[in-house]
Amino acid sequence: MELNKNPSQVTMKDVADLAGVSTATVSRALMMPEKVSWQTRDRIEKAIKQTGYIPYTLTKSQKQGVSKILLAMALDITDPFFTDVMQGIQQTAAEYGYIVLFLDNRQQPIEAISLSTILQQVNGVILLGANFPFERHDETSHPLPPMVMANEYFPELKLPTIHIDNLTAAFNAVHYLQRLGHRRIACISGPDHLHLSHYRQQGYIQALQRGGIAVESSYITSGPLSFETGANALSQLMALPQPPSAIFCHSDIVAIGAISQTKKMGIRVPEQLSIVGFDDIALAQYVDPPLTTVAQPRYKIGRQAVLMLLELLHGSGTKGGSILLDSELIVRASTAKPHN
């Protein structure tokens, strides 16, 4: 097999075809040679020499003097939800010799920094949310590095994505409250700009409708995923002429804020009010009472995001599609049958 290509135009598939293996095997040979037999490695190394293939990270390092750097971007990296996600990203990246830069867009808006300069120094980007901070029409003149999205699902961006089924997870949490006997179930939603808020609220609505319960607009509030949002919404909901007997919160932080407010108002949880959170952050099992919540595989989300990005960097991944991870409802002491 003869290739009449400039080395910079040779792809991993060209190497795989010449060596008689899959692109995934070539990727493993480059990233984890100890997991590939020496005979296969030998064929791949000969194919690389014959084709003149230059791995992406080597191309980057030759052009810019840097390599093996990943960028992870989040709206707020101080959110406890991201603690395990970032640990999964950092530890997995380290396994493959990469370092990770974390960028917080909340305190430092993306427009206010020289993002283009940063992007020139990194091999790939992990977006920990669906707020795409780049102008797609500039991609031709300013090519973007390979990217994956973690946590949120936004198909319009056509990026490889790692996430859970937020709609189904929310449905199952609300359905659990219904099985306990609750019919007055409120929802404290996240902000509209988070796509996961829409999925979780749709799961809440579908569960009510499936149970033959009318959706009451007064039972639905929204705001930032913060302690303050939970506390303020709890006061608002419990002041209604017919307050809810249960509340589904879009995050554990919101739920913990709500629980804190119940103590100030003399409302007993779960005897008088059941509360369900979402995420299963470390604090969820230590709050009083321990929080019933939807557990996300946060560390695995981070790890899988890195592995997917490395596949893209080495030419063995796809530019679209998603990987759906499992979630689980963890039942603790913040939920019980309604008292009336």
Side-chain angles (χ1 to χ4, degrees):
M1 176 181 177
E2 294 294 332
L3 287 173
N4 296 314
K5 290 184 178 181
N6 184 296
S8 64
Q9 297 175 320
V10 177
T11 67
M12 184 176 287
K13 187 176 187 306
D14 294 325
V15 175
D17 290 343
L18 187 58
V21 298
S22 67
T23 54
T25 300
V26 176
S27 178
R28 277 195 300 274
L30 291 169
M31 295 162 55
M32 299 175 286
E34 72 281 358
K35 294 190 177 183
V36 179
S37 69
W38 69 266
Q39 297 97 330
T40 301
R41 288 203 311 272
D42 184 60
R43 293 207 312 274
I44 292 172
E45 287 171 4
K46 288 179 180 176
I48 288 174
K49 289 180 182 178
Q50 187 173 338
T51 59
Y53 173 68
I54 303 175
Y56 177 81
T57 52
L58 181 56
T59 304
K60 293 280 286 188
S61 63
Q62 288 175 337
K63 288 181 178 179
Q64 301 163 356
V66 295
S67 65
K68 311 208 88 167
I69 301 175
L70 305 180
L71 175 66
M73 304 178 66
L75 184 62
D76 180 9
I77 62 174
T78 66
D79 186 327
F81 167 79
F82 288 117
T83 302
D84 288 339
V85 177
M86 291 189 293
Q87 187 177 28
I89 291 173
Q90 197 161 29
Q91 290 184 356
T92 306
E95 288 178 24
Y96 296 96
Y98 285 80
I99 63 173
V100 183
L101 303 178
F102 290 100
L103 182 61
D104 186 328
N105 294 339
R106 179 177 59 95
Q107 299 295 340
Q108 193 174 20
I110 201 67
E111 294 82 9
I113 65 175
S114 182
L115 181 61
S116 61
T117 301
I118 295 176
L119 292 178
Q120 291 172 15
Q121 307 302 318
V122 302
N123 299 98
V125 178
I126 298 172
L127 297 175
L128 297 174
N131 292 322
F132 195 74
F134 317 99
E135 294 293 335
R136 299 308 292 263
H137 58 75
D138 289 341
E139 196 167 345
T140 302
S141 57
H142 299 89
L144 298 175
M147 296 184 184
V148 301
M149 181 177 295
N151 186 40
E152 287 203 75
Y153 179 59
F154 190 35
E156 287 86 345
L157 290 181
K158 298 180 180 179
L159 291 176
T161 305
I162 308 290
H163 63 110
I164 68 164
D165 185 342
N166 281 281
L167 190 154
T168 300
F171 178 96
N172 291 339
V174 177
H175 183 59
Y176 165 72
L177 290 171
Q178 291 172 319
R179 292 202 312 271
L180 288 176
H182 293 279
R183 294 188 63 81
R184 302 192 315 277
I185 305 172
C187 176
I188 306 178
S189 173
D192 289 339
H193 67 79
L194 293 181
H195 294 83
L196 57 81
S197 297
H198 296 283
Y199 288 116
R200 291 176 190 177
Q201 186 164 315
Q202 193 59 38
Y204 161 79
I205 291 172
Q206 288 187 14
L208 294 186
Q209 292 174 336
R210 185 76 61 87
I213 301 172
V215 178
E216 300 286 347
S217 59
S218 62
Y219 277 2
I220 301 175
T221 70
S222 64
L225 297 177
S226 66
F227 295 115
E228 293 78 13
T229 292
N232 294 336
L234 188 283
S235 297
Q236 176 184 331
L237 291 168
M238 300 311 291
L240 292 172
Q242 191 172 35
S245 65
I247 301 177
F248 166 60
C249 302
H250 279 201
S251 81
D252 290 346
I253 292 298
V254 170
I256 292 168
I259 288 176
S260 174
Q261 188 65 18
T262 62
K263 296 182 185 301
K264 295 178 182 178
M265 298 176 65
I267 299 170
R268 299 191 309 279
V269 177
E271 291 84 1
Q272 294 175 288
L273 179 69
S274 288
I275 295 180
V276 174
F278 205 109
D279 292 335
D280 195 29
I281 62 174
L283 188 58
Q285 60 183 308
Y286 297 108
V287 70
D288 181 27
L291 184 63
T292 295
T293 185
V294 175
Q296 293 200 67
R298 299 181 307 284
Y299 182 92
K300 191 173 183 180
I301 288 173
R303 178 173 179 81
Q304 288 297 121
V306 172
L307 295 177
M308 179 180 276
L309 183 56
L310 293 182
E311 287 182 353
L312 283 178
L313 290 175
H314 290 273
S316 59
T318 59
K319 293 186 177 180
S322 66
I323 294 178
L324 201 61
L325 301 180
D326 292 331
S327 61
E328 179 186 6
L329 181 66
I330 306 296
V331 177
R332 298 194 180 102
S334 68
T335 50
K337 293 180 179 180
H339 68 286
N340 55 16

